[in-house]
């Protein structure tokens, strides 16, 4: 037997913290009870006031906290093994200390007691995050409910050369999700903690070493490739992982390079083929290029030939010019006497022509003077006319002024006459008093009318409201006699908001895209009333009140109006997008009858298809069995095996949940009682309610009659007031009209003196205007006389200019006559000497022509010379070629040569103009690609050599490691009468190397690969635990943790696995092992090296934990067994 000593700790309700294990369903009516949890183990203890204390295995008490430098537990622990775990305010624990043994540690206890909290403490206390646990995301969530911070302290076995164990402590703060670290009482960092764990080979993130409950399914889902990686991390030296990673990297690089090399080879072949196809075109293009180059040289030779020809022509023209000038001078000497007479006559003609021009200028100048005087005279005449017109307008205006003055004086006499007849005096106060008297009465009548009208409106509104109440009550009375009415009344009582929303939808049904269906309470019914309780037990209240639409547009419109406009909160909607045909039964009817069911829940429910489809989608009615009677145990088991998860039989409903992480066979069943139906029950008409409704109708009718009578009185009063108001209003209007007339007449008489004064002033102003007008007329008369005098003086001056113009015209006529005589004489001489003049002109023209030709030749030579210099200055120019040109080569011959070469060019078609450039570019690419291929070949060769080098180091070590694992794995299977082996799948791609686990659980089978399709959940669990156990002797890690790996195993497999685990984990010099499990079979193998940590908790634990010990419980148990046998 194993002695156990308890440690007291308090627990909070389960709903406040995360927990791993399943809980059994409890009745909602039960009150939650305070639970106290204790765990028993060989070397743990505690105190009621939660101070930490511990006992050594010998049983001697150690009071107070264990100090950080404690060497407790050195014993047989391997370096890095866990000697002690101490937690405060962590998850379910308020204060607890664990002392695990150096070999196998069995942590057992019922679900919900906090076994996995120990696993969480190990993970978080050694610097790893919650993601390695597969549960909460933040470390602050692990702090006990109601506390601000938690503490984890883990003591690790020191290395042989170290004097004391290492103690790692972390404080977790809920606020801010922060952690603070210490190593051996010295504050440190997370990085230092991870460095310490790495030094001891602790790999909490390796599923082969640390397998918490919530990651069991993750481990089972590891691919063979991932399993190989995790195995190497757990059992192989670090360099093996590095070799493997290097091989994967090199092989990846090699594959990439090989693909690129092959691609480049294909590209090279393609380029060479295209080069060969283009070679003929390139030869033709080269020949064409040569011709083009020759044409270019010939065309460049043009300015050189042109320069030489122009230069020669320039010298020739200069010689011709000299000869022509000599001939011209000789001719001029011969004809000089004759030309002298002609020139003298010509000179006389020129003089006379000059005199004519001068006299013409004088005549024109005098004409301009005379015209200027005439213009001035005309301006003066216009000025005189304007003055005359102004004076006439002034005189005409005076006539109008005189008439206006007479009219004003007549008006003054009329006003003075009116002043003598004064009107009656106007008393404004008297008029206003008479008007106010009647206005006051009108206002009083209007006020009474408003009050009467308001009262009449209120009576009408109240009457309409009473009439509506009568209608509603009568409809409600009528609805009591119909099933639909009863259900709608029930809907209003259950959810008034839903009833209002459904009423609005019915009123606006024509505006929706598709039909909208009311709550199942209204639209559905149970076909057989016997099944009402069973069918209703499948639904919650909200399911019965949900309104169903058939499209999202209607859903959005109803949702927005009901919630945003009507402000209704207790209304639920859903959109049924699937057809009812999509929900088919899981089993045929004959199978259902064999299982003891009357049918599926959907078979017993009537209603619109969209509503039933929505209920099937949410509540799986098409897969929920229903029976009026309970089924047998055999039928129950068959139902669980059939895949049906929900059913109702008799007065109970059942729901099966499957836990995939515990294997395909792991299930839990929830059972609930079926209560009486509340919704789809037809009830008789409530006579009391109907009587109350009738009384309400009678009261409403009486109230309406009273309102009607009161309204008649109000109408009579209103008519009386209106009759009185009419004459009063008419009298007020007459008084106001008479008052306005009297007021205007009095005001007009009072204004007469001012008007007389204004008119008198107007007469004086017009008299003054008459005086001013006479002055202006006199001034205009003087101005007219002055302009007339100026006009007379200018007329005399114009006469003088006219006489001078006559004299100038006579002189011009005389000079023009003499010019005609001189011109006639010159022309006569020229006719007689026309031949001599023509000869001279021809010679002069010839000299000029020769000179022009010489200049033109010079310009051509200069331009050609500039072009020649530019050609010679070009980079690829060949001066010797241009020097070697034939001196006798003419422009015509050069042009013939150019035309001949161009004719040759026409016979060679250009084809692809870019072929030559493309050929040259591609040739360069081929040369570059050849270089690249050579470099790739060398690099591939280097990579291949490196792969061989690393593989020769890694592969033997891997084969050896897997061989040892396989031997241990096979041996484990042999011990349970089965077979198994572990191998390595090898591939050219090192990324695809993987672990191959083959197992055989039956004699008539061959070894088969382990996967989720071939083996059962229990067989996979056995294989998984045996694989982990095979790593035990090879593992580099100082400890390993497995949480609830035995879940889903049958008793036989669990017993065999436990026996092998004890044998392997309890050997000397093996690493520490933690096995967490909520249950164990009886009569399991026990070894002195294993340690059992039993966690006890529950409502029946004594408040004083010292009153309970495992030893005492075992003693009582033995006494009870002995008494039973006696």
């Amino acid at each position: 037997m194993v002695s156990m000593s308890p440690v007291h700790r308090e627990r909070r309700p389960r709903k406040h913290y995360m927990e791993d294990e399943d809980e059994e369903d409890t009745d909602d009516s039960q009150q939650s009870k305070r639970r106290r949890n204790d765990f028993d183990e060989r070397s743990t203890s505690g105190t009621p006031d939660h101070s930490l204390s511990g006992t050594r295995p010998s049983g001697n008490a150690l009071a107070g906290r264990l100090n950080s430098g404690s060497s407790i537990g050195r014993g047989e622990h391997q370096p890095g093994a866990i000697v002690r775990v101490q937690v405060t305010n962590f998850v379910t624990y308020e204060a607890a200390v664990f002392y695990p043994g150096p070999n196998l540690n069995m942590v057992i206890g019922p679900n919900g007691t906090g076994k996995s909290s120990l696993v969480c403490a190990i993970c978080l206390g050694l610097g790893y995050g919650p993601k390695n646990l597969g549960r909460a995301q933040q470390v602050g969530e692990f702090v006990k409910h109601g506390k601000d911070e938690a503490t984890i302290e883990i003591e690790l076995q020191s290395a042989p050369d170290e004097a004391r164990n290492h103690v790692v402590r972390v404080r977790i703060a809920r606020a801010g999700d922060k952690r603070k670290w210490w190593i051996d009482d010295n504050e440190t960092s997370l990085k230092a903690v991870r460095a310490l764990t790495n030094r001891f080979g602790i790999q909490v993130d390796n599923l082969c070493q640390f397998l918490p409950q919530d990651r069991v399914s993750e481990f089972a889902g590891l691919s063979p490739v991932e399993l190989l990686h995790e195995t190497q991390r757990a059992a192989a030296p670090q360099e093996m992982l590095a070799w493997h990673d290097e091989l994967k990297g090199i092989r990846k690089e090699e594959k990439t390079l090989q693909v690129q090399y092959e691609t480049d080879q294909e590209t090279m072949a393609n380029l060479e083929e295209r080069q060969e196809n283009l070679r003929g075109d390139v030869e033709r293009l080269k020949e064409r290029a040569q011709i083009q180059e020759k044409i270019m040289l010939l065309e460049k030779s043009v300015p050189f030939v042109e320069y030489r020809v122009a230069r020669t022509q320039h010298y020739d023209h200069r010689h011709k010019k000299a000869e022509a000038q000599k001939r011209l001078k000789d001719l001029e000497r011969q004809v000089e006497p004759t030309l002298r007479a002609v020139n003298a006559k010509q000179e006389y003609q020129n003089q006379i022509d000059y005199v004519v021009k001068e006299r013409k200028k004088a005549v024109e100048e005098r004409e301009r003077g005379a015209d200027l005087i005439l213009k001035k005279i005309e301006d003066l005449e216009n000025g005189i006319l304007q003055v005359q017109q102004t004076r006439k307008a002034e005189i005409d205006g005076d006539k109008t002024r005189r008439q206006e003055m007479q009219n004003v004086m007549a008006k003054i006499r009329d006003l003075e006459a009116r002043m003598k007849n004064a009107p009656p005096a106007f008393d404004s106060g008297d008029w206003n008093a008479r008007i106010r008297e009647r206005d006051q009465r009108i206002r009083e009548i209007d006020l009474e009318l408003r009050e009467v009208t308001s009262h009449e409106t209120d009576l009408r509104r109240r009457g309409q409201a009473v009439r509506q109440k009568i209608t509603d009550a009568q409809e409600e009375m009528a609805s009591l006699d119909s099933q639909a009415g009863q259900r709608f009344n029930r809907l209003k009582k259950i959810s008034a908001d839903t009833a209002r929303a459904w009423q609005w939808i019915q009123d606006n049904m024509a505006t929706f895209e598709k039909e909208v269906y009311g709550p199942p309470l209204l639209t559905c019914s149970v076909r057989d009333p016997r099944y009402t309780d069973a069918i209703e037990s499948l639904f919650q209240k909200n399911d019965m009140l949900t309104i169903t639409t058939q499209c999202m547009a209607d859903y959005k419109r109803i949702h927005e109006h009901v919630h945003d406009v009507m402000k209704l909160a207790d209304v639920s909607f859903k959109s049924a997008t699937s057809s009812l045909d999509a929900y088919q039964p899981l089993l045929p009817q004959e199978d259902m009858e064999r299982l003891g069911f009357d049918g599926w829940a959907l078979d017993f429910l009537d209603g619109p298809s969209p509503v039933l489809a929505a209920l099937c989608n949410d509540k799986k009615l098409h897969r929920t069995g229903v029976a009026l009677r309970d089924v047998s145990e055999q039928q129950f088991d068959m139902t669980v095996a059939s895949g049906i998860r929900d059913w109702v039989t008799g007065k109970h409903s059942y729901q099966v949940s499957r836990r995939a992480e515990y294997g395909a066979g792991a299930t839990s069943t929830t059972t609930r009682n079926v209560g009486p139906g509340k919704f789809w029950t037809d009830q008789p008409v409530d006579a009391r309610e109907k009587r109350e409704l009738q009384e309400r109708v009678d009261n409403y009718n009486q109230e309406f009659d009273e309102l009607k009578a009161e309204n008649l009185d109000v109408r009579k009063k209103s008519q009386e007031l209106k009759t009185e108001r009419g004459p009063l209003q008419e009298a007020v209007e007459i008084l106001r009209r008479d008052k306005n007339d009297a007021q205007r007449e009095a005001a007009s008489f009072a204004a007469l003196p001012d008007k007389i004064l204004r008119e008198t002033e107007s007469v004086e102003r017009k008299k003054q205007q008459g005086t001013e007008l006479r002055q202006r007329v006199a001034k205009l008369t003087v101005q007219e006389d002055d302009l007339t005098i100026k006009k007379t003086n200018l007329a005399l001056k114009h006469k003088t200019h006219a006489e001078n113009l006559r004299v100038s015209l006579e002189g011009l006529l005389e000079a023009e006559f003499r010019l005609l005589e001189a011109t006639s004489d010159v022309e006569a001489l020229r006719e007689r000497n026309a031949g001599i003049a023509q000869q001279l002109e021809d010679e002069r023209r010839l000299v000029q022509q020769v000179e022009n030709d010489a200049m033109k030749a010079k310009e051509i030579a200069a331009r050609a010379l500039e072009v020649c210099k530019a050609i010679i200055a070009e980079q690829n120019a060949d001066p010797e070629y241009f020097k070697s040109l034939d001196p006798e080569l003419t422009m015509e011959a050069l042009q013939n040569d150019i035309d001949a070469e161009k004719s040759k060019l026409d016979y060679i078609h250009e084809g692809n103009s870019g072929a030559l450039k493309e050929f040259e570019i591609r040739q360069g690419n081929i040369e570059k690609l050849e270089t690249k291929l050579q470099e790739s070949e060398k690099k591939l060769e280097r990579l291949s050599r490196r792969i061989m080098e690393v593989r020769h180091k890694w592969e033997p070590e891997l084969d050896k490691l897997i061989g040892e694992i396989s031997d241990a794995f096979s041996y484990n299977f042999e011990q349970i009468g089965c077979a198994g082996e572990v191998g390595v799948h090898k591939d050219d791609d090192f990324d695809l190397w993987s672990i191959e686990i083959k197992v055989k659980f039956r004699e008539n089978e061959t070894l088969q690969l382990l996967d989720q399709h071939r083996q059962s959940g229990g067989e996979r669990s056995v294989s998984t635990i045996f694989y982990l156990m095979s790593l035990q002797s090879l593992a580099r890690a100082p400890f390993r943790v497995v949480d609830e790996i035995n879940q889903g195993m049958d008793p036989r497999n669990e017993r065999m696995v436990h026996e092998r685990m004890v044998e392997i984990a309890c050997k000397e010099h093996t690493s520490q092992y933690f096995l967490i499990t909520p249950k164990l079979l009886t009569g399991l193998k026990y070894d002195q090296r294993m340690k059992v940590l039993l966690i006890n908790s529950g409502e029946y634990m004594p408040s004083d934990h010292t009153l309970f010990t495992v030893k005492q419980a075992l003693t009582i148990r033995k006494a009870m067994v002995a008494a039973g046998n006696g």
Side-chain angles (χ1 to χ4, degrees), residues 45 59 157 169 233 268 459 477 479 608 689 700 770 985 1037 1049:
S45 66
Q157 179 63 47
R169 186 168 78 254
R233 287 187 62 202
M268 173 68 81
L459 289 173
M477 287 175 62
S479 69
E689 185 176 1
Y700 291 152
H985 168 72
M1049 292 186 189

Side-chain angles (χ1 to χ4, degrees), residues 24-92:
E24 297 182 356
D25 296 326
T26 58
D27 194 327
D28 294 338
S29 63
Q30 291 181 346
Q31 296 295 326
S32 60
K33 300 180 180 180
R34 183 179 180 189
R35 303 176 65 192
R36 299 176 301 279
N37 300 322
D38 295 75
F39 68 86
D40 293 330
E41 45 133 341
R42 286 187 172 181
S43 302
T44 62
S45 66
T47 58
D49 61 357
H50 304 151
S51 65
L52 300 179
S53 67
T55 60
R56 298 297 304 275
S58 61
N60 297 328
L62 271 176
R65 294 179 180 268
L66 297 173
N67 66 42
S68 302
S70 171
S71 60
I72 290 176
R74 182 171 183 91
E76 300 176 356
H77 287 81
Q78 298 293 326
I82 297 175
V83 177
R84 174 176 56 88
V85 178
Q86 180 174 316
V87 294
T88 305
N89 296 330
F90 183 76
V91 191
T92 62

Side-chain angles (χ1 to χ4, degrees), residues 74 379 412 512 722 865 1073:
R74 182 171 183 91
D379 292 342
I412 292 172
F512 298 115
K722 289 178 181 178
L865 181 62
Y1073 207 103

